[in-house]
Each structure stands twice: as C-alpha cells, then as structure tokens.
Amino acid sequence: MADSRPNIIFIMSDDHAAHAMSCYGSRINRTPNLDRIAEGGMRFDNCFCTNSICTPSRAAILTGTYNHVNEVTTLATPMDNRLTTYPKLLQQSGYQTAIFGKWHLGTGPGHCPTGFDAWSVLPGQGLYHNPDFIFAGPGGGRRRTLQGYVTDLITDLTLEWLEARDRERPFCLMVHHKAPHRPWEPDEAHQHLYLNEQIPEPETLFDDYSDRASAAEAAEMRVGVHMDFRDVKCEISPGLSEHELRRWGYQRYIKDYLRVVAGIDDSVGRLLDYLEAEGLTEDTLVIYTSDQGFFLGDHGWYDKRFMYEESLRMPLILRYPREVASGSINDDIVLNVDFPLLFLDVAEVDAPDGMQGRSFRSQLHGETPADWRQALYYRYWMHKAHHNVYAHYGVRTKRHKLIYYYADALGQAGAIDESYTPEWELFDLERDPYELHNVYSDPAYADTVPALTELLHQLQADVGDTRYALDVD
Ligand code: CA
C-alpha cells in the first residue's frame, strides 16, 4: 500500500523579519507568494527563537534541543553531525529527504549534512552571485561554482530534485535560502524596485538608548553609523550627523533588503506553482520561516542577537489543507525547538526523549492544550563578537520580558573574553511594545520582578541550563 503520510517542505530564509511580510501587516513591502501560504493555512504570531543567531537556531530546529544541549552556542561551534535530527528519523521511517541552500553548521568531516538522500549546500554564509555549492559526495562533498543568483539556484536545485523524486514515497525537503542575509545583494530582476520611493521609517529609528541597560548603547549595529561599503554599496558621506546617517543609511539598507526579499517571494511562488501543477498541495505541509528575526532600522539597528522583539520573533506560516483551516491565526508561544516535534508528529514517527520542544499539532486544529507553555527561555551566548552585543538570557511571557545581561564570554568559542558588571532589564510589553523603558527598578513592578526572576530560573533549570554565578535570588 502506498505511504499516505504527508510531504513536508520546510522553507527557511536567513534573517527575514516578520515585519517585512505583508501577511504580518508589513508597512514597507508586499510578499504575495508568502501570503498564499498564510491565507491558505495558519499564521503564528508568537513564534520565537531560543538564540537569535544563524548557526544555533538551525541546530535547535534540526535537533529540537537548546544550544547548551546541542553545544551549538555560537557561530564558531559547528554541529556534530552524529546528533539525532528529525530528517534522520524521517529518513529511517521511509521518507525521501533532501536539503538545498544554506547549512551553516559546518561542512568539514563530522559536520557536513547527514540524514539526507540528497544535499547541496553553500559553504558558510554563501555568496549571492555565482556562488559555490558543496554537493554530496565522498569525503564530505565536492565544491563547484554555479552561475547565477543564489535564490534562483537553490530553487532550481529544489525543483530538479522534486521532478526526479520517487512518487510512491513521501518526502521531507528543506529549502534554505541565503537571502536576505547581509550584505543584501539583489538580482537584476529586483534591483530597480523602490528606486524613487521613500520607505516608511520605523518608530524607533532614532532611539537614544536612554532608560535601558548599557548593552543597547554599546551595540555596534546602527544603520548608517556602523555600516560599510558592502552594506550601502557606495561611499559613506563624511560630515553627516548621527541622525542624518541613520536616516540615509536606513533607506540604502532597507531597499536592498526588501529587493532581496522580493526575490525569495518570487521563488516561493515558483515552488507553490509546482506543487499545484503536480497535485501535491493537499498532501503537503508547507512551512515558511526564518532562523530568527532582524532589526529593520528598529532601535536604529540592523542585525539581530538581542532578545528584543524584532530579533526574537520568527515568522512562521504554514499550509496543510488536510488539517489546517485556511486563514487561521494562532498566538500561542511556539519555539524553534518545537518544529521537529511537529514534523515527526504529522509523519507518525515517535519523537526521541531527548528532544526538548513540543509538537504544536493541536494548534493546527485550532486547539491549545491546557498545559501549553506561557513563557519562553532565551539565551544569547556569543558575547561581544561582531556587533558588541553582550551575552544575556531572559524570559518572555505574553505581557513581560525580563533580560539579564551577564556580559561574560564564559569561554564560548567565538565570544570575546572581556566581562562587565551584569545588568537587568524589564519591559512591560503591553504598555511599552517598543521596549524603550526599562521598568526593572520601578516600584510599580516590585512584585513582578521577583516573580519573573523565579520563573526565569525555573525555566532555565527545566531545560538543564546553568545560571550565571553572579545571578542569585
Ligand atoms: Ca540568520
């Protein structure tokens, strides 16, 4: 009898924030093809990552574990490819499995993709134009340059594999776009978009970082100010004030970012069209997400890493006609470590005990289990590296966010060994959705602080992580 389990297509872009998708109410762009997924399925409004940086989030998604468990805490900690991952389990259960695009978990022996019938991945971050790919082969793979634009090439590889697939067995396909990761290089088809337009500025473009812990002001990721030639594709005018630099840098940056996103949107359209033409739409779970969020000039920044909303939040839309009503929305707290549990669940494969997330299949049917999580635990480990963002951990509930900047490398690979006095931040997300006012020392929150601190330590212990030595009750 034919295997009637669903196909799974997991499309993940790199650094695509939800507020640059029209299905999430973007004020700055339209994404008609991504909207097809949301309109035909479900949009998740409270999906978050557990560590807002590329490599660790990818490891969390594959293994269903937090980064202190899978040991992929920073960009300099490639994943051990012997770890249990959901593609391996699906492959063992009879699925065809493949991955095309960005891997970023290491490509040498011990780190190249495993658990896939086919794979072709970019080395490291990969290039936008005429990129090298590493193709599956003996000794970890063979490197070859392909001519063309990276988003199109990844989509071509995907469609070629789909065309050649075994039509008697379900498949799990991971399509990992390099775009819209820095340095935001659009292709010819999209480079003329927005030419004579002014893109609306975010509310917090001119944030002065007052009323926050010192980490915000210390961060070196201000648009215009901390960008270089690769980012803005021209010389930066000398003599501009910081205010002028941010205003100018934002337009240069965001236009290229949105052009690159438009390329992804087109390529997702090609893939959805193929599914329609092949009669696969009904039997396929299609997911679109990004490995984390991104600052789109919010707080005057580009990049991610912080536990602030724009960086913490992942877009997550999915379409699965067998189980999901079209046009539905869910606001439960869902995490990247939950993804593999959902995929195993719909594929009728038991999840191993070691996975720390939880399947959210009930949510697909519009039901929230009574004991579903009300808070999440987050940790950013890569102290100071690249953008001078201090290491921190914290807890977020629907209403509040408590962040502890312990500001110490703790010997993590790639982190910079220079520590500072720890600081706390508390935000009331209902009264202060842009996180501009740290109310940690406000007497009005005198009861909230100890309750959230206890919750933070409880969640940290629940996932088996270790409290910083100076963080005491
Ligand atoms: Ca990323």
Side-chain angles (χ1 to χ4, degrees), residues 107-346:
T107 43
H111 305 295
C112 66
T114 49
F116 298 99
D117 302 339
W119 56 267
S120 307
V121 297
L122 299 163
Q125 294 286 358
L127 298 176
Y128 276 101
H129 295 279
N130 304 328
D132 280 3
F133 277 82
I134 300 173
F135 290 83
R142 290 183 311 267
R143 193 162 169 147
R144 190 150 57 88
T145 305
L146 297 187
Q147 298 299 313
Y149 187 65
V150 69
T151 306
D152 297 334
L153 292 168
I154 291 167
T155 307
D156 294 344
L157 290 167
T158 297
L159 292 173
E160 280 165 25
W161 184 82
L162 277 171
E163 194 58 27
R165 76 191 186 279
D166 174 358
R167 285 166 163 75
E168 299 303 311
R169 290 192 294 141
F171 60 82
C172 171
L173 172 60
M174 302 175 80
V175 186
H176 285 196
H177 288 295
K178 180 254 183 329
H181 191 283
R182 197 184 187 190
W184 320 295
E185 292 174 7
D187 63 343
E188 264 179 50
H190 301 95
Q191 66 185 0
H192 301 296
L193 292 175
Y194 309 109
L195 265 186
N196 297 308
E197 294 176 37
Q198 286 290 303
I199 308 294
E201 293 172 350
E203 310 283 345
T204 57
L205 180 61
F206 304 107
D207 190 355
D208 65 1
Y209 317 115
S210 60
D211 207 4
R212 244 66 51 77
S214 53
E217 188 169 17
E220 294 170 1
M221 50 168 80
R222 298 184 200 170
V223 292
V225 180
H226 295 119
M227 287 177 158
D228 60 26
F229 187 89
R230 277 197 333 149
D231 299 319
V232 292
K233 287 89 179 172
C234 65
E235 298 298 336
I236 293 173
S237 306
L240 292 180
S241 67
E242 170 146 358
H243 188 93
E244 291 164 333
L245 268 176
R246 287 199 204 184
R247 175 155 278 162
W248 171 84
Y250 171 71
Q251 293 296 328
R252 295 291 304 184
Y253 149 57
I254 202 66
K255 287 182 182 181
D256 274 343
Y257 183 94
L258 296 179
R259 290 163 182 148
V260 164
V261 166
I264 292 178
D265 189 70
D266 282 358
S267 85
V268 169
R270 280 176 68 198
L271 190 47
L272 296 179
D273 290 346
Y274 180 85
L275 297 181
E276 290 287 346
E278 288 282 299
L280 290 170
T281 300
E282 286 297 311
D283 298 326
T284 303
L285 167 59
V286 180
I287 301 100
Y288 182 85
T289 188
S290 173
D291 54 352
Q292 8 66 210
F294 211 67
F295 295 108
L296 306 179
D298 315 284
H299 297 286
W301 290 336
Y302 60 101
D303 210 72
K304 56 258 185 179
R305 298 162 198 267
F306 275 96
M307 199 188 167
Y308 294 154
E309 289 295 275
E310 298 86 353
S311 152
L312 178 68
R313 185 181 303 282
M314 301 166 79
L316 176 63
I317 50 177
L318 60 81
R319 188 182 74 182
Y320 184 32
R322 278 191 195 175
E323 298 191 19
V324 182
S326 56
S328 44
I329 295 170
N330 178 282
D331 71 351
D332 293 337
I333 294 176
V334 170
L335 304 175
N336 55 359
V337 290
D338 297 332
F339 293 3
L341 283 300
L342 174 70
F343 305 155
L344 294 171
D345 195 353
V346 298

Side-chain angles (χ1 to χ4, degrees), residues 13-15 53-55 58 102 181 290-293 304:
S13 56
D14 192 354
D15 296 359
I53 195 168
C54 303
T55 306
R58 284 153 201 272
K102 179 164 163 172
H181 191 283
S290 173
D291 54 352
Q292 8 66 210
K304 56 258 185 179

Side-chain angles (χ1 to χ4, degrees), residues 386-399:
H386 301 128
H387 293 284
N388 205 39
V389 177
Y390 299 170
H392 56 286
Y393 55 67
V395 60
R396 186 198 190 280
T397 64
K398 288 262 179 88
R399 170 83 189 260

